[in-house]
């Protein structure tokens, strides 16, 4: 029986621990926080009107079949733990009006916002696009959809479920010519949208999926078109009680399989004397904890820079990842919003110019003056008092950093002033809740950097394209899982990273 230490009890760490325990290994998980879940965070607020519950990380579950397989591989059924509700719409997209008041617009009443609801039925969604933007736009979307399907099929077959340790390994895959044509190496997601979509608002909608990986659509690879395909082809789901129940389910599986989960315990280093893994060092402990295998569910940058005795060189970290500014709002009344709502600005490029800045030209990053605003409002009585709503509000933001490519979110007064700005932007877009707030809680990138150990507060891990940090570490016996590693960020991809690692380690 091999002794396995897992660093971090995020989704990737718990999924790897459960799989390895089911394979007969002796597994111990060390988590520096007092709770499990990592970025799958939760917040509870008691008020005179009742208790509000918030997911502070992901707000929907895609590709639930990946988690169903995970639970089956460890001897359980997913539906024994989660009550999954399909979402329709998946996302309500709200675009600014393109025609000034007094002129007849092509997409509705003059001077009013344009709304497009996505759904998990491709034919129905194309019909909605046609109803909103015309038959030409629907035809464009169908063509893009066929291409996205090819990218998804190739990715699922050749990339997402197998190790990809180097550019050479990727190049050696048995790519078929249609796959390469669809994936379009060297083309950006923005370029793909410009090539296939004539309707500007559909281009904007496609651009947004780059932010799922923390990237700028003007630089993100075209292969990310697989993300909307996965979301809209297989559906989006919400577990009653919130996404945090997924962390509870994974913890239950681990404990049932004999995994030891130690919270409030910080790993300060990985022992690699002699060139292979021997164990880990814990804060306050006099001796290392021995291990035959270490699985790190921490950001790859943290592992290579802070946990290894000699800082490793991480060549894959070429892209700076955006972060997020969050408001948790207790709201009186019924706003009539969907579960997921995205309110777009008139100038989407200005948002990425602000978030990333241009350090090469001395242009600093800054809070976005007119940001895209994402609002999640679960229709779930388990998360809010009667007659109220629990809002999770997110805008893209620069990382926490005292450099040109970030800002210092701890600067006195900045967070509250920007929170006011975000609420003002929502009001200007027709959703004014400023006089209906029971409370507001502000979370900045600095807060996420502290609570989840995310460098700079990057929500999606270290940004990357097709090539991310390998799951096999730089020394024998060390493996990495999580959103900063192959195959990427998002709950399903994180779970797949755990599967890849468990398959590599194999039975005890």
């Amino acid at each position: 029986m091999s002794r396995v230490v897992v660093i971090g009890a995020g989704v990737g760490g718990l999924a790897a621990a459960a799989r390895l325990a089911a394979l007969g290994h002796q597994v111990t998980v060390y988590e520096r926080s007092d709770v499990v879940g990592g970025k799958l965070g939760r917040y509870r607020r008691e008020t005179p009107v009742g208790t509000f519950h918030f997911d502070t990380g992901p707000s929907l579950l895609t590709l639930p079949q990946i988690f169903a397989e995970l639970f089956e591989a460890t001897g359980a059924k997913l539906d024994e733990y989660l009550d999954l509700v399909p979402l329709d719409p998946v996302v309500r997209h709200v675009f600014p009006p393109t025609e000034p008041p007094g002129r007849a617009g092509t997409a509705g009443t003059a001077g009013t916002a344009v709304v497009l609801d996505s759904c998990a039925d491709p034919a129905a969604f194309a019909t909605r696009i046609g109803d909103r933007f015309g038959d030409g736009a629907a035809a464009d979307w169908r063509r893009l959809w066929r291409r996205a399907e090819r990218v998804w099929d190739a990715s699922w077959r050749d990339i997402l479920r197998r190790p990809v340790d180097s550019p050479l390994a990727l190049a050696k895959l048995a790519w078929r010519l249609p796959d390469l044509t669809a994936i379009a190496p060297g083309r950006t997601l923005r370029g793909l949208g410009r090539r296939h979509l004539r309707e500007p608002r559909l281009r904007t909608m496609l651009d947004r999926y780059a932010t799922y990986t923390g990237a700028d659509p003007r630089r993100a690879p075209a292969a990310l078109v697989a993300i909307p395909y996965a979301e809209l082809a297989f559906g989006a789901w919400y577990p009653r009680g919130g996404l945090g129940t997924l962390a509870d389910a994974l913890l239950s599986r681990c404990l049932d399989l004999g995994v030891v989960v130690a919270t409030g315990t910080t790993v300060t280093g990985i022992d690699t004397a002699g060139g292979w893994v021997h164990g880990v060092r814990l804060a306050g402990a006099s001796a290392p904890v021995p291990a035959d295998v270490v699985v790190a569910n921490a950001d790859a940058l943290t592992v290579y820079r802070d946990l290894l005795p000699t800082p490793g060189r991480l060549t894959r970290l070429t892209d700076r990842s955006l972060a997020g500014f969050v408001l948790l709002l207790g709201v009186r009344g019924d706003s009539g919003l969907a579960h997921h709502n995205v309110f777009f600005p008139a100038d989407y490029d200005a948002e990425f110019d602000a978030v990333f800045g241009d350090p090469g030209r001395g242009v600093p990053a800054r809070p976005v003056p007119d940001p895209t605003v994402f609002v999640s409002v679960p229709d779930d009585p388990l998360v809010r008092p009667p007659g109220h709503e629990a809002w999770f509000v997110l805008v893209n933001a620069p990382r926490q950093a005292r450099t040109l490519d970030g800002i210092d979110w701890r600067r006195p007064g900045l967070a509250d002033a920007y929170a006011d700005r975000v609420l003002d932007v929502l009001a200007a877009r027709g959703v004014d809740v400023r006089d209906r707030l029971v409370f507001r809680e502000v979370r900045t990138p600095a807060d996420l950097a502290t609570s989840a150990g995310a460098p700079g507060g990057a929500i999606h891990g270290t940004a990357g394209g097709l090539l991310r940090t390998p799951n096999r570490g730089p020394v024998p016996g060390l493996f990495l899982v999580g959103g900063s590693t192959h195959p990427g960020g998002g709950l399903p991809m994180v779970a797949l990273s755990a599967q890849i690692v468990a398959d590599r380690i194999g039975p005890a």
Side-chain angles (χ1 to χ4, degrees):
M1 178 181 292
S2 298
R3 299 165 298 179
V4 178
V5 165
V6 178
I7 304 172
V11 169
L14 292 175
R19 284 187 177 275
L20 291 169
L23 290 172
H25 297 277
Q26 176 186 322
V27 184
T28 301
V29 181
Y30 293 110
E31 167 58 49
R32 71 175 194 165
S33 174
D34 293 330
V35 295
V36 302
K39 292 176 184 174
L40 198 65
R42 287 173 280 191
Y43 176 70
R44 174 177 173 174
R45 179 73 171 257
E46 301 281 355
T47 75
V49 300
T51 304
F52 293 81
H53 300 266
F54 299 88
D55 289 313
T56 61
S59 54
L60 59 75
L61 180 66
T62 56
L63 300 172
Q65 62 268 33
I66 291 174
F67 287 93
E69 190 281 328
L70 163 63
F71 276 74
E72 290 173 6
T74 63
K77 298 291 186 182
L78 181 64
D79 59 11
E80 296 173 353
Y81 293 85
L82 298 180
D83 181 10
L84 294 177
V85 180
L87 298 178
D88 185 7
V90 174
V91 179
R92 174 161 294 163
H93 305 89
V94 183
F95 303 95
T98 56
E99 297 290 341
R103 291 183 59 190
T106 59
T109 304
T112 62
V114 178
V115 178
L116 177 65
D117 287 348
S118 63
C119 64
D121 182 329
F125 186 38
T127 298
R128 292 180 186 183
I129 291 172
D131 292 342
R132 183 62 64 190
F133 301 125
D135 293 342
D140 288 350
W141 181 260
R142 291 188 186 98
R143 283 192 292 271
L144 179 68
W145 189 254
R146 290 192 291 271
R147 180 171 190 151
E149 183 177 25
R150 295 198 300 272
V151 175
W152 168 259
D153 288 345
S155 300
W156 182 254
R157 183 184 65 244
D158 295 326
I159 298 176
L160 299 179
R161 295 176 296 163
R162 64 171 65 186
V164 177
D165 290 340
S166 68
L168 181 60
L170 189 64
K172 285 183 176 180
L173 294 176
W175 295 108
R176 298 179 298 180
L177 184 59
D179 297 337
L180 284 174
T181 302
I183 290 172
R187 179 171 291 161
T188 65
L189 189 65
R190 167 64 61 81
L192 188 69
R194 293 284 176 89
R195 181 180 179 89
H196 285 271
L197 302 172
R198 288 168 289 181
E199 168 55 53
R201 286 160 291 198
L202 291 182
R203 293 176 177 177
T204 296
M205 185 184 73
L206 180 65
D207 276 353
R208 178 176 166 268
Y209 285 95
T211 67
Y212 280 38
T213 69
D216 182 334
R218 299 169 298 186
R219 299 179 179 86
L224 294 185
V225 73
I227 297 176
Y229 182 84
E231 181 177 279
L232 301 179
F234 301 104
W237 307 78
Y238 171 78
R240 295 188 194 276
L243 269 290
T245 57
L246 176 59
D248 296 336
L250 289 170
L251 176 61
S252 294
R253 286 307 305 138
C254 285
L255 297 178
D256 289 345
L257 291 164
V259 176
V260 176
V261 180
T263 56
T265 306
T266 300
V267 174
T268 59
I270 301 170
D271 184 1
T272 60
W276 64 86
V277 163
H278 294 283
V280 300
R281 297 186 300 279
L282 305 180
S286 58
V289 175
D292 303 300
V293 174
V294 171
V295 178
N297 180 209
D299 192 280
L301 180 61
T302 299
V303 175
Y304 276 71
R305 181 186 62 192
D306 300 334
L307 297 183
L308 291 173
T310 302
R313 184 184 179 194
L314 207 49
T315 59
R316 303 281 175 84
L317 302 185
T318 57
D319 296 326
R320 295 169 288 135
S321 174
L322 57 78
F325 182 91
V326 171
L327 299 179
L328 307 176
L329 307 178
V331 178
R332 290 187 294 272
D334 182 354
S335 304
L337 296 180
H339 186 101
H340 290 103
N341 311 268
V342 178
F343 298 87
F344 286 106
D347 186 353
Y348 204 20
D349 280 5
E351 176 166 322
F352 298 106
D353 291 340
V355 167
F356 292 101
D358 190 344
R361 295 193 300 154
V363 179
R366 60 198 183 281
V368 183
D370 188 29
T372 302
V373 185
F374 170 82
V375 182
S376 177
V377 187
D379 183 15
D380 183 356
L382 297 177
V383 304
R384 40 78 173 168
H388 294 77
E389 296 174 329
W391 283 33
F392 173 87
V393 180
L394 170 71
V395 301
N396 294 327
R399 301 177 306 148
Q400 166 65 26
R402 292 183 174 90
T403 57
L404 287 176
D405 63 354
I407 64 175
D408 184 6
W409 286 102
R410 297 187 178 95
R411 194 166 74 234
L414 175 58
D416 281 335
Y418 194 55
D420 291 339
R421 175 60 187 167
V422 171
L423 292 176
D424 291 343
V425 168
L426 271 175
R429 295 180 191 168
V431 185
D432 191 353
V433 294
R434 292 172 295 186
D435 61 350
R436 296 196 287 124
L437 293 182
V438 179
F439 66 88
R440 82 177 188 190
E441 178 82 13
V442 180
R443 302 286 180 88
T444 74
D447 296 320
L448 185 63
T450 299
S451 64
I459 296 176
H460 310 282
T462 306
L466 288 177
L467 284 172
R468 288 190 174 243
T469 304
N471 303 112
R472 185 186 293 276
V475 292
L478 175 61
F479 299 86
L480 288 82
V481 298
S484 63
T485 69
H486 177 73
L491 293 173
M493 299 300 105
V494 167
L496 287 177
S497 74
Q499 180 179 345
I500 290 169
V501 165
D503 288 346
R504 276 198 154 185
I505 295 171

